């Protein structure tokens, strides 16, 4: 019985250098405001896991949630502009 191996060029994937491409880095940079807003919301929620929620905590969570929603809106509007080819 012969074993099938990835010995030929058409079967073997291209070499991967482990580094993100410029396009991938740009996509991450575009999403960074949303990522940071979500991290702030997560931090605010983690702070109240082991204690009762105070009025200050509730405000902090509400503001963080509003920042996430605003960042999502900006990201969605940017994606909609890109999909339409930049015509606004």
């Amino acid at each position: 019985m012969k074993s099938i191996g990835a010995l030929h060029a058409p079967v073997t994937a291209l070499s991967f250098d482990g580094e993100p491409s410029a396009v991938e880095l740009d996509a991450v940079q575009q999403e960074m405001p949303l990522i940071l807003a979500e991290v702030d919301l997560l931090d605010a929620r983690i702070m109240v896991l082991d204690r009762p929620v105070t009025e200050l905590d509730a405000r902090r969570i509400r503001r963080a949630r509003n920042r996430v929603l605003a960042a999502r809106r900006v990201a969605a509007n940017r994606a909609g502009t890109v999909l339409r080819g930049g015509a606004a």
Side-chain angles (χ1 to χ4, degrees), residues 2-39:
K2 278 187 166 182
S3 63
I4 299 174
L7 302 176
H8 303 291
V11 177
T12 307
L14 297 175
S15 63
F16 178 66
D17 63 357
E19 298 293 324
S21 68
V23 174
E24 292 169 333
L25 288 173
D26 186 46
V28 170
Q29 188 65 32
Q30 294 291 324
E31 293 178 12
M32 192 54 67
L34 176 58
I35 293 168
L36 293 175
E38 288 177 339
V39 168

Side-chain angles (χ1 to χ4, degrees), residues 52-63:
V53 178
T54 65
E55 182 61 32
L56 181 62
D57 294 330
R59 269 190 263 157
R60 184 178 291 125
I61 292 170
R62 185 174 58 247
R63 288 178 181 159

